Amino acid sequence: MVSEVKTVSGRGIPLVGNDIDTDRIIPARYLKAVTFDGLGEGAFIDDRTALKGEHPFDQPQYQGANILIVNRNFGCGSSREHAPQAIAKWGIQALIGESFAEIFFGNCVAMGIPCVTADAVTVKQLQELVAANPQAAVTVNLETLQVQIGDYTAPVAIGEGTRSTFISGTWDACGQLVANADQVRVTAAKLPYVGWGNLAAS
């Protein structure tokens, strides 16, 4: 299936700090957007403004990076889906961290973005390796549960149920419905309370 996510490869971007909440990821004023288009420009915008170009999302060596390496309790705070959407629109396709807030994690899974965890020592090492060599190749492998940066390899973790949905492609609920549209129509036509009998013929 096209929705399978077995590995994510590219370059890394380190974002050091614990308890980075969803309001810092994308401020509340961006929640007025009708669509998620353009949210990438607002990712970490207040932190970036305060740091005057020194935030990793503004530094030239990390432009085009697609694997975000964070610390503990990333994505805490409100449950806004805009937070993972903003990160994804910036270009992030996978996250490595010590831990993630549960709702943030769930929103990422629903978008096909794996969030794997590692212990604090490993995460610090990964962040330092990327900071020292921003062009280094980074690979997150969900089949072997490993992350590799250059010659360095470390174990990562993700719940087995979530891991299997990525590998099989079943994380994509909308894709599953579209792929099984005929069965949905047949089932809907049999339900007396739906009244969609005409769907079976459409």
Side-chain angles (χ1 to χ4, degrees), residues 95-175:
L95 289 90
I96 305 166
E98 295 172 50
S99 61
F100 298 93
E102 187 173 352
I103 294 175
F104 176 86
F105 176 89
N107 284 335
C108 284
V109 171
M111 295 168 55
I113 302 173
C115 299
V116 298
T117 58
D119 61 69
V121 172
T122 299
V123 168
K124 187 172 186 288
Q125 177 74 14
L126 295 171
Q127 289 174 329
E128 290 174 351
L129 283 168
V130 169
N133 183 9
Q135 299 305 314
V138 181
T139 298
V140 176
N141 191 319
L142 296 181
E143 292 186 298
T144 62
L145 288 178
Q146 290 181 318
V147 59
Q148 184 170 1
I149 299 181
D151 295 330
Y152 177 82
T153 302
V156 292
I158 189 169
E160 182 54 36
T162 303
R163 173 178 171 266
S164 65
T165 63
F166 277 122
I167 291 173
S168 67
T170 56
W171 64 268
D172 185 0
C174 290

Side-chain angles (χ1 to χ4, degrees), residues 20-56:
I20 294 177
D21 64 34
T22 52
D23 193 54
R24 286 177 65 189
I25 296 170
I26 189 74
R29 62 186 179 274
Y30 285 85
L31 271 61
K32 293 182 288 186
V34 177
T35 71
F36 296 123
D37 296 337
L39 279 186
E41 297 168 15
F44 301 105
I45 191 64
D46 290 346
D47 287 358
R48 290 161 66 185
T49 301
L51 290 172
K52 299 177 180 177
E54 294 303 308
H55 189 280

